[in-house]
Amino acid sequence: MPISVIIPALNEAAALPATLDSVRRQRPHEILVVDGGSSDATCEVAVPFARVLTGVRGRAAQMNCGAAQATGDVLLFLHADCTLEGGALAEAARLLRKPGVVAGCFRMSVPLPHFLYRSIDACATFRVRLFGVAYGDQGLFLRRDVFERLGGFPVLRLMEDVFLSLKLRRLGRIAVAKSRVFVSPRRWQKQGVVRQTLRNWALTALAAGGVHPDRLARFYPNVR
């Protein structure tokens, strides 16, 4: 199954090389980096390894832009500060061939040796298996026809991944791969592990309670 890897980016020149290298080594069908108007060297870094597109700023809009240009049968959405373990793409293709699996994500790992990070890793997997909700930094993958059938990501400033997951779980199971996606710890390091985790839970609860994600986005600052 040809896999198109779509990476939305904004001022990610520092993080992007490791991300692209982890993907390139696995020989995907194509890599698309969708830039949202970076003021750094993001596009220059990406050009040797990926097809670079320019989209309207906003992760959801950028990912939809990449999906519209992708030619693979499978779409894998990867954050620009996340890297994939070897064999991840092959496992993604295998999982999508299983009956009842409509989408999947990878086993999250924050690459720092602290028990709080191991708790975050475990909770991410538990959330997907119990509630069928995957966050974008877990590397969501699905068939292109399913993505198009659902209308792509809702164009929100925050939680577009959550709301797409809610649609996906009505169609089938979101599987968690054994392969890991290594997530940058920079947000937890800057905001504090406990504080950031509680903020994530609070924002998700408020969205579930009916508060529009665009209103909540101001409480989730960009971190570079």
Side-chain angles (χ1 to χ4, degrees):
M1 300 176 75
I3 298 179
S4 297
V5 180
I6 298 165
I7 305 172
L10 178 66
N11 295 327
E12 292 285 9
L16 199 52
T19 301
L20 289 170
D21 187 60
S22 75
V23 175
R24 179 183 58 84
R25 290 173 180 270
Q26 300 186 45
R27 300 181 180 275
H29 173 67
E30 62 185 348
I31 305 173
L32 298 95
V33 172
V34 188
D35 184 66
S38 295
S39 57
D40 68 358
T42 292
C43 293
E44 290 81 355
V45 166
V47 163
F49 309 105
R51 181 181 172 193
V52 178
L53 306 173
T54 300
V56 176
R57 181 174 299 190
R59 183 171 280 155
Q62 288 170 240
M63 291 190 291
N64 286 341
C65 173
Q69 296 294 319
T71 59
D73 295 333
V74 173
L75 305 179
L76 192 162
F77 299 96
L78 186 66
H79 285 188
D81 63 342
C82 296
T83 59
L84 291 178
E85 188 171 38
L89 297 191
E91 186 180 6
R94 287 197 301 271
L95 283 174
L96 289 177
R97 292 189 184 100
K98 290 188 174 182
V101 173
V102 69
C105 65
F106 301 104
R107 187 162 55 93
M108 176 177 158
S109 179
V110 182
L112 285 180
H114 194 290
F115 78 93
L116 287 175
Y117 291 116
R118 302 293 73 76
S119 298
I120 291 170
D121 297 343
C123 286
T125 297
F126 179 78
R127 171 179 19 85
V128 181
R129 288 178 175 166
L130 186 64
F131 300 110
V133 174
Y135 286 175
D137 54 9
Q138 291 175 271
L140 182 68
F141 53 86
L142 71 166
R143 296 179 190 85
R144 183 154 57 101
D145 61 335
V146 173
F147 183 80
E148 293 172 349
R149 173 183 169 187
L150 294 178
F153 285 99
V155 183
L156 303 169
R157 293 175 58 197
L158 188 69
M159 297 188 189
E160 71 286 336
D161 43 12
V162 172
F163 283 86
L164 180 60
S165 292
L166 294 177
K167 291 182 179 180
L168 283 168
R169 71 181 189 181
R170 297 177 194 144
L171 302 180
R173 182 167 67 92
I174 301 178
V176 181
K178 294 180 181 179
S179 301
R180 291 173 294 177
V181 57
F182 298 101
V183 179
S184 169
R186 62 187 181 181
R187 182 173 293 277
W188 291 286
Q189 288 178 315
K190 186 170 183 177
Q191 304 293 335
V193 178
V194 175
R195 181 182 179 188
Q196 182 60 43
T197 300
L198 292 176
R199 175 183 289 167
N200 291 345
W201 291 351
L203 293 176
T204 301
L206 288 168
V211 180
H212 197 283
D214 286 355
R215 293 180 57 193
L216 299 173
R218 59 179 173 157
F219 301 107
Y220 197 81
N222 290 325
V223 174
R224 296 290 186 273

